[in-house]
Amino acid sequence: MNALRRLWSLFVPYRGWMLLGISVALITLLANIALMSTSAWFLTAMAAAGATGTAMNYFTPAALIRASAIIRTAGRYGERLINHEATFRLIARLRVWFYEHLEPLAPARLQRYHSGDLLSRIRADIDALDGLYVRVLVPVAVANMATLFFSFFLASFHPLLALSALVFWGVAGVGLPIWAERRGRIPGKRLAEDEGALRAAVVDGLQGLAELSVYGAAERQAKRIDGLSRQMITDQGRLASDQALTQAGVGLCAGLSLWVMLWIAVPLVEGGQIEPPVLALLALFIIASFEAVAPLPAAFQILGRTLAAARRLFAIVDAKPEVIDPPTPSPRPKRFDIRCQGLSFTYPGATEPALVGLDLEVPEGGRLAILGPTGSGKSTLFHLILRFWEPDAGTIAIGGDDIRLFQGDDLRRSIAVVSQHTHLFAANIRDNLLIANPNATQDQIESACRVAQIHDFIAALPEGYDTWVGETGVKLSGGQARRVAIARALLKDAPILLLDEPTEGLDAATERNLMQALDRLMAGRTVLLIAHRPAGLDWADKILVLDRGRVSAYGDRSVIPAAMQTVLSSDLV
Ligand code: ADP
Ligand code: MG
């Protein structure tokens, strides 16, 4: 029940709205029951008066009926309006709340989750939470208050009437819900999980469709998706049939309750304790009163699903970020030199360290080339400088300030990165460039693209910078996407530049042009560039060669021993 309490705490700011929603729902229900029972009484009494030729006051009951009808109609409308308003406000806040917890987990913690699964949590699970309010809290509160009120009303005729109705309301509003909740627990939980798995499988299958087709695995993936969706349909079917059964159960309770009421009340009419028209009133009152408990079985079924969704969200919200921002404001470095001392790092779960006791120093405006075979820890060094991960030992300082003193955002503001895996958003080229600097002018964009050797290509496209690059940039080749990424880094205009194999995937001529252009760009900035081969490093002041996380050479170009050159070229080129 801990999840329920935590979930409730998220709803607390909307107490006012909820109270209003519950009141309007209660008034609407009472108006409906008043309408039904007063009409029954009125018709019977009028018929009896007509038969016996006596006069009766029909103005008051007619006014009451009219008022109830108007309140019921307006109430239904108001109830929907208020509850929707409250729900939308709530969901809007929940999404922000979830995103705020999700963001600090990126990228280190989030690598455990599949993007499709995260999407499912952000969308379906948060949507499921609103069920707690509209379909659980409101009906339960209304049912409790209404049945209390009904009991007093019935007891005013005879205590036995109240007692018998209470038994049937109890069966319909407590017994059936418990039954439905028990039966719905397993399929409900499985449904929430399968929904995540299904989304993950579909997203994966679509993104990797080319690979799946090439390796003839598309059929298998389709089978897996089919299996998951069949399981979901079975579970949904089971929940729906349980829901139908409980609805039938509520109807049965209403019928039985009516029958027992007549059995108690008919002798009272005969004994003159109850007027005959009141019997008609009681009959319709009993039937209508079950409207108060009818939503409860569904409410409990939804409660199970809502709590499962809440637990899945809390699991992410409670994950401790890999890196925690300091409580104090970031220092403002005056210089942008980088110094690493005794840096060691092992990825969680890895057996081998990715970096061991790394020392290095790049003065402001210095240019360091980093070489090393695949897996030697080059990109890891960048991840540590960007503070995506926390080193196990050692320190990194920028301008003499330990990077642990910086807020992550402030730190990353002074660093422009071209990472090894370029991510382009499903947007046009211009928007993909503008994320680096939303205020960049078209001239700035174009000159960055010229430096990155991509302007001519973009300008030749029929739609130029407005060309849509498609989902994850599939419309551009790897080399083109890389150059867009370089242009993006240029637009950011940061004092530190981290380039992870920027020329990988480019032909020799383009690589030469790009390196010449980058040379101009690097002027005045502190640059760390991971190169994939030892040739063409004239621009570098210093070279660092890594091997299995350790520094195997550090110094000027002459440090690259001939043997190392062969290792590097055979491994990387
Ligand atoms: P390089 O960039 O030199 O090719 P990396 O720094 O990417 O090498 O990787 C160094 C080692 O750390 C490799 O053994 C790699 O498998 C491992 N590694 C890299 N990234 C992760 C990660 N996110 N989680 C776990 N292990 C990782
Ligand atoms: Mg790498």
Side-chain angles (χ1 to χ4, degrees), residues 58-100:
Y58 55 84
F59 288 107
T60 320
L64 190 64
I65 288 170
R66 225 169 281 148
S68 308
I70 291 169
I71 292 174
R72 185 180 71 158
T73 312
R76 288 241 156 97
Y77 177 74
E79 185 193 337
R80 299 270 185 297
L81 200 67
I82 291 164
N83 288 340
H84 277 94
E85 182 66 29
T87 306
F88 287 141
R89 279 168 188 253
L90 188 74
I91 291 197
R93 174 161 177 270
L94 286 175
R95 281 194 211 289
V96 174
W97 161 83
F98 185 65
Y99 187 81
E100 278 170 353

Short mmCIF file of all heavy atoms in Angstrom, two decimals, residues 58-100:
data_model
loop_
_atom_site.label_atom_id
_atom_site.label_comp_id
_atom_site.label_asym_id
_atom_site.label_seq_id
_atom_site.Cartn_x
_atom_site.Cartn_y
_atom_site.Cartn_z
N TYR A 58 -50.18 18.62 -6.47
CA TYR A 58 -49.17 18.07 -7.38
C TYR A 58 -48.12 19.11 -7.77
O TYR A 58 -47.22 18.82 -8.51
CB TYR A 58 -49.80 17.44 -8.63
CG TYR A 58 -50.73 18.35 -9.40
CD1 TYR A 58 -50.21 19.25 -10.33
CD2 TYR A 58 -52.11 18.29 -9.20
CE1 TYR A 58 -51.06 20.08 -11.05
CE2 TYR A 58 -52.96 19.13 -9.89
CZ TYR A 58 -52.44 20.02 -10.82
OH TYR A 58 -53.28 20.84 -11.52
N PHE A 59 -48.25 20.32 -7.20
CA PHE A 59 -47.25 21.33 -7.57
C PHE A 59 -45.87 21.04 -6.98
O PHE A 59 -44.87 21.08 -7.66
CB PHE A 59 -47.72 22.72 -7.12
CG PHE A 59 -48.86 23.21 -7.95
CD1 PHE A 59 -50.16 23.26 -7.44
CD2 PHE A 59 -48.63 23.62 -9.28
CE1 PHE A 59 -51.21 23.68 -8.24
CE2 PHE A 59 -49.68 24.06 -10.07
CZ PHE A 59 -50.99 24.09 -9.54
N THR A 60 -45.86 20.71 -5.68
CA THR A 60 -44.57 20.49 -5.02
C THR A 60 -43.82 19.32 -5.66
O THR A 60 -42.66 19.48 -6.06
CB THR A 60 -44.77 20.26 -3.51
OG1 THR A 60 -45.79 21.15 -3.07
CG2 THR A 60 -43.49 20.48 -2.75
N PRO A 61 -44.44 18.10 -5.76
CA PRO A 61 -43.67 17.00 -6.37
C PRO A 61 -43.27 17.29 -7.81
O PRO A 61 -42.15 16.96 -8.22
CB PRO A 61 -44.61 15.80 -6.29
CG PRO A 61 -45.92 16.30 -5.83
CD PRO A 61 -45.73 17.64 -5.23
N ALA A 62 -44.15 17.99 -8.56
CA ALA A 62 -43.80 18.28 -9.96
C ALA A 62 -42.58 19.20 -10.01
O ALA A 62 -41.67 19.01 -10.81
CB ALA A 62 -44.97 18.93 -10.67
N ALA A 63 -42.54 20.17 -9.09
CA ALA A 63 -41.39 21.08 -9.04
C ALA A 63 -40.13 20.31 -8.66
O ALA A 63 -39.05 20.52 -9.23
CB ALA A 63 -41.65 22.20 -8.04
N LEU A 64 -40.29 19.39 -7.70
CA LEU A 64 -39.15 18.60 -7.24
C LEU A 64 -38.58 17.77 -8.39
O LEU A 64 -37.37 17.68 -8.60
CB LEU A 64 -39.60 17.68 -6.10
CG LEU A 64 -38.48 16.98 -5.35
CD1 LEU A 64 -37.58 17.98 -4.64
CD2 LEU A 64 -39.07 15.99 -4.34
N ILE A 65 -39.51 17.16 -9.16
CA ILE A 65 -39.09 16.33 -10.29
C ILE A 65 -38.34 17.16 -11.32
O ILE A 65 -37.27 16.81 -11.80
CB ILE A 65 -40.31 15.62 -10.93
CG1 ILE A 65 -40.81 14.53 -9.99
CG2 ILE A 65 -39.96 15.04 -12.29
CD1 ILE A 65 -42.14 13.93 -10.38
N ARG A 66 -38.92 18.34 -11.60
CA ARG A 66 -38.28 19.19 -12.60
C ARG A 66 -36.89 19.63 -12.13
O ARG A 66 -35.92 19.59 -12.87
CB ARG A 66 -39.16 20.42 -12.88
CG ARG A 66 -39.28 20.70 -14.36
CD ARG A 66 -40.32 21.72 -14.65
NE ARG A 66 -41.68 21.15 -14.61
CZ ARG A 66 -42.77 21.83 -14.23
NH1 ARG A 66 -42.65 23.08 -13.80
NH2 ARG A 66 -43.95 21.27 -14.27
N ALA A 67 -36.84 20.02 -10.87
CA ALA A 67 -35.54 20.46 -10.32
C ALA A 67 -34.52 19.33 -10.39
O ALA A 67 -33.37 19.53 -10.81
CB ALA A 67 -35.72 20.93 -8.88
N SER A 68 -34.96 18.10 -9.99
CA SER A 68 -34.01 16.98 -10.01
C SER A 68 -33.51 16.73 -11.42
O SER A 68 -32.32 16.45 -11.62
CB SER A 68 -34.67 15.69 -9.51
OG SER A 68 -35.27 15.90 -8.28
N ALA A 69 -34.44 16.81 -12.39
CA ALA A 69 -34.04 16.55 -13.78
C ALA A 69 -33.01 17.57 -14.25
O ALA A 69 -32.01 17.23 -14.89
CB ALA A 69 -35.26 16.56 -14.69
N ILE A 70 -33.24 18.84 -13.86
CA ILE A 70 -32.30 19.89 -14.30
C ILE A 70 -30.94 19.70 -13.60
O ILE A 70 -29.89 19.74 -14.23
CB ILE A 70 -32.88 21.30 -14.00
CG1 ILE A 70 -34.08 21.53 -14.92
CG2 ILE A 70 -31.82 22.37 -14.20
CD1 ILE A 70 -34.91 22.74 -14.57
N ILE A 71 -30.99 19.42 -12.29
CA ILE A 71 -29.73 19.25 -11.55
C ILE A 71 -28.96 18.05 -12.13
O ILE A 71 -27.75 18.09 -12.30
CB ILE A 71 -30.01 19.03 -10.04
CG1 ILE A 71 -30.55 20.31 -9.44
CG2 ILE A 71 -28.73 18.61 -9.32
CD1 ILE A 71 -31.00 20.17 -8.01
N ARG A 72 -29.69 16.99 -12.44
CA ARG A 72 -29.02 15.80 -12.95
C ARG A 72 -28.30 16.10 -14.26
O ARG A 72 -27.13 15.75 -14.44
CB ARG A 72 -30.05 14.68 -13.16
CG ARG A 72 -29.41 13.37 -13.58
CD ARG A 72 -30.43 12.31 -13.77
NE ARG A 72 -31.22 12.54 -14.98
CZ ARG A 72 -31.90 11.59 -15.62
NH1 ARG A 72 -31.89 10.36 -15.14
NH2 ARG A 72 -32.59 11.86 -16.69
N THR A 73 -29.00 16.79 -15.16
CA THR A 73 -28.39 17.10 -16.46
C THR A 73 -27.19 18.02 -16.30
O THR A 73 -26.10 17.73 -16.81
CB THR A 73 -29.42 17.78 -17.38
OG1 THR A 73 -30.62 17.00 -17.33
CG2 THR A 73 -28.93 17.85 -18.80
N ALA A 74 -27.40 19.11 -15.55
CA ALA A 74 -26.30 20.07 -15.37
C ALA A 74 -25.16 19.39 -14.62
O ALA A 74 -23.98 19.60 -14.92
CB ALA A 74 -26.79 21.28 -14.60
N GLY A 75 -25.51 18.55 -13.65
CA GLY A 75 -24.51 17.87 -12.84
C GLY A 75 -23.64 16.94 -13.67
O GLY A 75 -22.42 16.93 -13.53
N ARG A 76 -24.29 16.18 -14.56
CA ARG A 76 -23.51 15.25 -15.40
C ARG A 76 -22.48 16.04 -16.21
O ARG A 76 -21.33 15.64 -16.34
CB ARG A 76 -24.43 14.50 -16.37
CG ARG A 76 -25.30 13.48 -15.70
CD ARG A 76 -25.03 12.07 -16.21
NE ARG A 76 -25.43 11.10 -15.19
CZ ARG A 76 -26.60 10.47 -15.18
NH1 ARG A 76 -27.45 10.67 -16.14
NH2 ARG A 76 -26.89 9.62 -14.21
N TYR A 77 -22.96 17.18 -16.76
CA TYR A 77 -22.06 18.00 -17.57
C TYR A 77 -20.93 18.56 -16.70
O TYR A 77 -19.75 18.43 -17.04
CB TYR A 77 -22.86 19.14 -18.22
CG TYR A 77 -22.00 20.08 -19.02
CD1 TYR A 77 -21.49 19.69 -20.26
CD2 TYR A 77 -21.68 21.35 -18.52
CE1 TYR A 77 -20.69 20.55 -20.98
CE2 TYR A 77 -20.89 22.21 -19.25
CZ TYR A 77 -20.40 21.81 -20.48
OH TYR A 77 -19.60 22.66 -21.19
N GLY A 78 -21.31 19.13 -15.57
CA GLY A 78 -20.32 19.74 -14.67
C GLY A 78 -19.31 18.72 -14.18
O GLY A 78 -18.11 18.99 -14.11
N GLU A 79 -19.81 17.53 -13.89
CA GLU A 79 -18.94 16.48 -13.37
C GLU A 79 -17.84 16.14 -14.39
O GLU A 79 -16.66 16.06 -14.07
CB GLU A 79 -19.79 15.25 -13.07
CG GLU A 79 -19.07 14.13 -12.41
CD GLU A 79 -19.88 12.84 -12.45
OE1 GLU A 79 -21.12 12.92 -12.57
OE2 GLU A 79 -19.27 11.78 -12.36
N ARG A 80 -18.28 15.97 -15.65
CA ARG A 80 -17.31 15.66 -16.71
C ARG A 80 -16.29 16.79 -16.85
O ARG A 80 -15.09 16.57 -16.96
CB ARG A 80 -18.00 15.48 -18.06
CG ARG A 80 -19.01 14.37 -18.14
CD ARG A 80 -18.36 13.06 -18.57
NE ARG A 80 -19.34 12.01 -18.77
CZ ARG A 80 -20.13 11.49 -17.86
NH1 ARG A 80 -20.10 11.96 -16.62
NH2 ARG A 80 -20.96 10.51 -18.15
N LEU A 81 -16.83 18.01 -16.84
CA LEU A 81 -15.98 19.18 -17.05
C LEU A 81 -14.92 19.27 -15.95
O LEU A 81 -13.72 19.38 -16.21
CB LEU A 81 -16.86 20.43 -17.03
CG LEU A 81 -16.29 21.68 -17.66
CD1 LEU A 81 -16.14 21.48 -19.15
CD2 LEU A 81 -17.21 22.86 -17.38
N ILE A 82 -15.38 19.17 -14.71
CA ILE A 82 -14.46 19.33 -13.58
C ILE A 82 -13.45 18.18 -13.55
O ILE A 82 -12.25 18.39 -13.40
CB ILE A 82 -15.25 19.39 -12.26
CG1 ILE A 82 -16.05 20.69 -12.21
CG2 ILE A 82 -14.32 19.28 -11.07
CD1 ILE A 82 -17.13 20.68 -11.16
N ASN A 83 -13.95 16.96 -13.72
CA ASN A 83 -13.03 15.82 -13.61
C ASN A 83 -12.02 15.79 -14.75
O ASN A 83 -10.87 15.41 -14.55
CB ASN A 83 -13.81 14.51 -13.54
CG ASN A 83 -14.49 14.37 -12.19
OD1 ASN A 83 -14.08 15.03 -11.22
ND2 ASN A 83 -15.51 13.56 -12.10
N HIS A 84 -12.45 16.21 -15.93
CA HIS A 84 -11.48 16.25 -17.02
C HIS A 84 -10.42 17.32 -16.77
O HIS A 84 -9.24 17.10 -16.97
CB HIS A 84 -12.17 16.50 -18.37
CG HIS A 84 -12.72 15.25 -18.97
ND1 HIS A 84 -14.01 14.85 -18.79
CD2 HIS A 84 -12.13 14.29 -19.69
CE1 HIS A 84 -14.20 13.69 -19.39
NE2 HIS A 84 -13.07 13.33 -19.95
N GLU A 85 -10.91 18.47 -16.33
CA GLU A 85 -9.97 19.57 -16.05
C GLU A 85 -8.94 19.12 -15.01
O GLU A 85 -7.73 19.27 -15.19
CB GLU A 85 -10.76 20.78 -15.54
CG GLU A 85 -9.93 22.01 -15.25
CD GLU A 85 -9.30 22.62 -16.49
OE1 GLU A 85 -9.90 22.47 -17.57
OE2 GLU A 85 -8.21 23.20 -16.36
N ALA A 86 -9.45 18.51 -13.93
CA ALA A 86 -8.54 18.07 -12.86
C ALA A 86 -7.56 17.03 -13.38
O ALA A 86 -6.38 17.06 -13.09
CB ALA A 86 -9.35 17.52 -11.70
N THR A 87 -8.09 16.09 -14.19
CA THR A 87 -7.23 15.02 -14.70
C THR A 87 -6.14 15.56 -15.61
O THR A 87 -4.99 15.17 -15.50
CB THR A 87 -8.09 14.02 -15.50
OG1 THR A 87 -9.15 13.61 -14.66
CG2 THR A 87 -7.29 12.82 -15.90
N PHE A 88 -6.51 16.48 -16.49
CA PHE A 88 -5.50 17.00 -17.41
C PHE A 88 -4.41 17.76 -16.66
O PHE A 88 -3.23 17.65 -16.95
CB PHE A 88 -6.14 17.87 -18.49
CG PHE A 88 -6.90 17.07 -19.50
CD1 PHE A 88 -8.10 17.50 -20.01
CD2 PHE A 88 -6.41 15.85 -19.93
CE1 PHE A 88 -8.82 16.75 -20.94
CE2 PHE A 88 -7.11 15.08 -20.85
CZ PHE A 88 -8.31 15.53 -21.35
N ARG A 89 -4.84 18.54 -15.67
CA ARG A 89 -3.85 19.27 -14.88
C ARG A 89 -2.90 18.29 -14.21
O ARG A 89 -1.68 18.47 -14.17
CB ARG A 89 -4.54 20.09 -13.78
CG ARG A 89 -5.09 21.37 -14.30
CD ARG A 89 -6.01 22.00 -13.27
NE ARG A 89 -6.67 23.14 -13.86
CZ ARG A 89 -6.36 24.40 -13.54
NH1 ARG A 89 -5.44 24.66 -12.65
NH2 ARG A 89 -6.98 25.39 -14.14
N LEU A 90 -3.51 17.25 -13.65
CA LEU A 90 -2.75 16.24 -12.92
C LEU A 90 -1.75 15.55 -13.83
O LEU A 90 -0.56 15.41 -13.51
CB LEU A 90 -3.76 15.23 -12.40
CG LEU A 90 -3.25 14.18 -11.46
CD1 LEU A 90 -3.00 14.82 -10.13
CD2 LEU A 90 -4.29 13.09 -11.30
N ILE A 91 -2.22 15.13 -15.01
CA ILE A 91 -1.33 14.40 -15.93
C ILE A 91 -0.21 15.29 -16.40
O ILE A 91 0.95 14.87 -16.48
CB ILE A 91 -2.13 13.86 -17.13
CG1 ILE A 91 -3.04 12.77 -16.63
CG2 ILE A 91 -1.20 13.32 -18.19
CD1 ILE A 91 -3.58 11.90 -17.71
N ALA A 92 -0.54 16.55 -16.68
CA ALA A 92 0.50 17.47 -17.13
C ALA A 92 1.59 17.54 -16.07
O ALA A 92 2.78 17.48 -16.37
CB ALA A 92 -0.10 18.85 -17.38
N ARG A 93 1.19 17.61 -14.81
CA ARG A 93 2.19 17.71 -13.74
C ARG A 93 2.96 16.40 -13.59
O ARG A 93 4.17 16.39 -13.40
CB ARG A 93 1.49 18.06 -12.44
CG ARG A 93 2.44 18.05 -11.28
CD ARG A 93 1.93 18.82 -10.09
NE ARG A 93 2.88 18.70 -9.00
CZ ARG A 93 2.83 17.75 -8.09
NH1 ARG A 93 1.90 16.84 -8.14
NH2 ARG A 93 3.72 17.70 -7.12
N LEU A 94 2.24 15.28 -13.70
CA LEU A 94 2.90 13.99 -13.56
C LEU A 94 3.97 13.78 -14.62
O LEU A 94 5.05 13.25 -14.34
CB LEU A 94 1.88 12.85 -13.64
CG LEU A 94 1.00 12.68 -12.41
CD1 LEU A 94 -0.05 11.62 -12.66
CD2 LEU A 94 1.83 12.31 -11.20
N ARG A 95 3.66 14.21 -15.84
CA ARG A 95 4.65 14.02 -16.91
C ARG A 95 5.91 14.83 -16.62
O ARG A 95 7.03 14.34 -16.80
CB ARG A 95 4.08 14.46 -18.26
CG ARG A 95 3.17 13.44 -18.86
CD ARG A 95 2.91 13.75 -20.33
NE ARG A 95 1.59 13.30 -20.72
CZ ARG A 95 1.25 12.03 -20.87
NH1 ARG A 95 2.13 11.08 -20.67
NH2 ARG A 95 0.02 11.69 -21.20
N VAL A 96 5.72 16.07 -16.17
CA VAL A 96 6.88 16.90 -15.85
C VAL A 96 7.65 16.29 -14.68
O VAL A 96 8.88 16.17 -14.70
CB VAL A 96 6.43 18.34 -15.52
CG1 VAL A 96 7.62 19.17 -15.06
CG2 VAL A 96 5.79 18.98 -16.74
N TRP A 97 6.91 15.84 -13.69
CA TRP A 97 7.52 15.21 -12.51
C TRP A 97 8.37 14.01 -12.93
O TRP A 97 9.52 13.86 -12.52
CB TRP A 97 6.39 14.77 -11.56
CG TRP A 97 6.76 13.74 -10.54
CD1 TRP A 97 7.36 13.96 -9.33
CD2 TRP A 97 6.51 12.32 -10.61
NE1 TRP A 97 7.52 12.77 -8.68
CE2 TRP A 97 7.02 11.76 -9.43
CE3 TRP A 97 5.93 11.48 -11.57
CZ2 TRP A 97 6.94 10.39 -9.18
CZ3 TRP A 97 5.86 10.14 -11.31
CH2 TRP A 97 6.36 9.60 -10.12
N PHE A 98 7.83 13.21 -13.82
CA PHE A 98 8.56 12.02 -14.25
C PHE A 98 9.78 12.43 -15.08
O PHE A 98 10.88 11.91 -14.88
CB PHE A 98 7.63 11.12 -15.08
CG PHE A 98 8.27 9.82 -15.46
CD1 PHE A 98 8.62 8.90 -14.48
CD2 PHE A 98 8.53 9.51 -16.78
CE1 PHE A 98 9.22 7.70 -14.82
CE2 PHE A 98 9.13 8.31 -17.12
CZ PHE A 98 9.47 7.40 -16.14
N TYR A 99 9.60 13.37 -15.98
CA TYR A 99 10.71 13.78 -16.82
C TYR A 99 11.84 14.38 -15.99
O TYR A 99 13.01 14.11 -16.25
CB TYR A 99 10.24 14.78 -17.89
CG TYR A 99 11.32 15.08 -18.88
CD1 TYR A 99 11.59 14.22 -19.93
CD2 TYR A 99 12.13 16.20 -18.73
CE1 TYR A 99 12.61 14.46 -20.82
CE2 TYR A 99 13.16 16.46 -19.61
CZ TYR A 99 13.39 15.58 -20.65
OH TYR A 99 14.42 15.82 -21.52
N GLU A 100 11.46 15.15 -14.98
CA GLU A 100 12.49 15.76 -14.13
C GLU A 100 13.33 14.71 -13.41
O GLU A 100 14.50 14.93 -13.12
CB GLU A 100 11.85 16.70 -13.10
CG GLU A 100 11.56 18.05 -13.69
CD GLU A 100 10.71 18.92 -12.78
OE1 GLU A 100 10.23 18.42 -11.72
OE2 GLU A 100 10.51 20.08 -13.12
#
